[in-house]
Amino acid sequence: MKLFVYALTALFFLSCQDQAKEASAASQTNTDAPKNVILLIGDGMGLSQLSSAQYYGEGTPNLEQFPVVGLIKTSSSAQLITDSAAGATAFACGVKSYNGAIGVAGDSTAVANLPELLLEKNMVSGVVATSTITHATPASFYAHQVSRNMHEAIAQDLANSNLNYFAGGGLKYFNKRSDSLNLLSELTAKGFQLDTAKIPSTLSDKMGVFVADNALPKAVEGRGDFLSQASLQAVACLSQNDQAFFLMIEGSQIDWGGHDNDADYLIGEMLDFDKTLGAVLEFAKNDGNTLVVVTADHETGGFTLGSNRGNYNSINPTFSTDGHSGTMIPVLAYGPGSENFGGIYENSEIFHKIMSLLK
């Protein structure tokens, strides 16, 4: 009987210790609040796309510098396999919606996005992409439209938005419109410094950069360092006067390489994205107050890195589809609050985790 009592006492003591440890761990969650948040989205980037940077890049990929790794589930509200619009709306607005939705819920009503909500916290925001700036992913961070295909309406939403910085393609949706409106004039009247040829060398409080009528060229066809340079300029613009900021950066064309089943295209975009990760991480490390989160809206192409005819020293990149797949997507995090991004959860939780840290 005494042994039984001793055993119960020991179990109780150990249980109390475990509960104390759990309480201590819980109390540490959300203790480190970032000042700035940079969200990088590799459109169409699954685990094999990430892994390609390991095999085809020079040296150790920058993505290996992230200490926290998680996984997200990506189904949209109406489809098992999401598209970029529903995926980005989940990140930007914290709700699951239907494929094609831009900043709206399943009933087509507008839902506030991160830049709109963070303005209430005196934070400024920006978006950078290698697609048109009206494409599904960047659009979800400033626009509210029932369809991703409504590029001219999305462009009008950008002109009416509270963004302080944007860079990408899509100039034609602002100055060659079917309604003859010149949104460049509207943006200039609202204080934007606009450049329609290159990334400018000077800074202002509001900046817009269009370097193509449509999307930018492929990385393997001479796009250069646009993504990393525009991202660093966005950081410089948004952080002027010690301002807190939110920035979304999209490696847009990883997705397009997957849709084309073009391994060289995809890998070139992935390496360009990883280079941008390095530039952003260097800023975050020096700053000390910036949370960096890297993820993707979905995987594209069913991309795999199989052996080349059984030769385990040779990789043969292959595809199983020219569309999206339903695999879970990696999340990488660095900086204050990064510990909150480990585990397995829904893609919409990215939004809620960011908002919980910026109270």
Side-chain angles (χ1 to χ4, degrees):
M1 184 66 181
K2 287 183 178 179
L3 286 174
F4 179 72
V5 172
Y6 290 153
L8 281 179
T9 303
L11 286 172
F12 178 76
F13 177 73
L14 290 172
S15 175
C16 289
Q17 278 191 319
D18 289 341
Q19 289 177 13
K21 288 178 181 178
E22 290 173 5
S24 175
S27 69
Q28 292 174 15
T29 303
N30 294 336
T31 54
D32 293 327
K35 176 182 178 183
N36 313 307
V37 177
I38 301 177
L39 174 62
L40 295 106
I41 299 173
D43 198 309
M45 182 186 70
L47 189 57
S48 289
Q49 284 84 347
L50 274 174
S51 300
S52 70
Q54 175 185 354
Y55 294 107
Y56 294 96
E58 296 181 2
T60 304
N62 292 303
L63 60 89
E64 293 189 21
Q65 298 183 54
F66 289 84
V68 177
V69 179
L71 292 169
I72 51 172
K73 296 176 280 186
T74 63
S75 295
S76 60
S77 66
Q79 291 86 12
L80 286 175
I81 299 175
T82 191
D83 78 335
S84 295
T89 293
F91 295 149
C93 305
V95 298
K96 293 273 191 175
S97 194
Y98 59 89
N99 285 1
I102 298 293
V104 298
D107 61 0
S108 300
T109 57
V111 183
N113 56 48
L114 281 168
E116 291 167 342
L117 293 168
L118 296 180
L119 183 64
E120 299 172 6
K121 301 178 185 294
N122 297 315
M123 294 180 68
V124 292
S125 299
V127 297
V128 176
T130 55
S131 62
T132 63
I133 203 64
T134 59
H135 212 263
T137 301
S140 297
F141 287 84
Y142 63 80
H144 304 282
Q145 297 296 336
V146 296
S147 171
R148 60 183 292 171
N149 297 320
M150 301 170 67
H151 287 276
E152 291 191 351
I154 290 169
Q156 182 71 70
D157 281 352
L158 188 150
N160 295 332
S161 76
N162 63 288
L163 294 184
N164 280 64
Y165 186 96
F166 63 86
L171 177 62
K172 66 181 182 180
Y173 297 118
F174 294 80
N175 67 350
K176 298 175 183 177
R177 297 167 55 88
S178 60
D179 58 12
S180 300
L181 286 176
N182 186 344
L183 296 185
L184 299 183
S185 297
E186 288 191 25
L187 287 164
T188 301
K190 292 178 179 179
F192 274 87
Q193 172 188 322
L194 298 178
D195 198 294
T196 58
K198 63 184 187 325
I199 299 172
S201 57
T202 57
L203 289 178
S204 69
D205 292 337
K206 293 184 176 182
M207 301 183 67
V209 181
F210 296 103
V211 292
D213 250 12
N214 204 353
L216 278 68
K218 303 174 183 178
V220 293
E221 293 180 352
R223 185 171 69 232
D225 294 332
F226 170 84
L227 188 61
S228 56
Q229 290 179 0
S231 298
L232 290 178
Q233 188 186 62
V235 167
C237 172
L238 297 173
S239 62
Q240 292 180 94
N241 305 314
D242 202 32
Q243 187 83 30
F245 67 86
F246 168 80
L247 173 63
M248 191 289 295
I249 301 166
E250 184 193 30
S252 315
Q253 297 187 39
I254 300 170
D255 175 65
W256 300 353
H259 280 299
D260 289 352
N261 284 185
D262 185 332
D264 289 340
Y265 184 5
L266 184 156
I267 292 166
E269 296 299 322
M270 186 63 230
L271 295 178
D272 182 55
F273 188 65
D274 187 67
K275 182 176 182 178
T276 303
L277 296 188
V280 169
L281 275 173
E282 184 177 0
F283 165 79
K285 289 177 179 179
N286 291 331
D287 177 70
N289 293 307
T290 298
L291 169 66
V292 181
V293 179
V294 182
T295 191
D297 42 7
H298 53 73
E299 192 277 339
T300 303
F303 185 58
T304 60
L305 299 171
S307 64
N308 189 2
R309 298 182 179 180
N311 180 355
Y312 280 22
N313 284 315
S314 177
I315 291 175
N316 180 32
T318 57
F319 299 86
S320 64
T321 178
D322 60 3
H324 301 167
S325 70
T327 63
M328 287 194 290
I329 294 297
V331 180
L332 312 176
Y334 171 89
S338 59
E339 66 276 7
N340 293 277
F341 291 84
I344 300 175
Y345 45 91
E346 296 289 346
N347 55 0
S348 52
E349 285 302 304
I350 295 285
F351 167 93
H352 296 291
K353 289 175 184 292
I354 289 172
M355 287 300 297
S356 70
L357 288 167
L358 296 174
K359 290 181 179 178

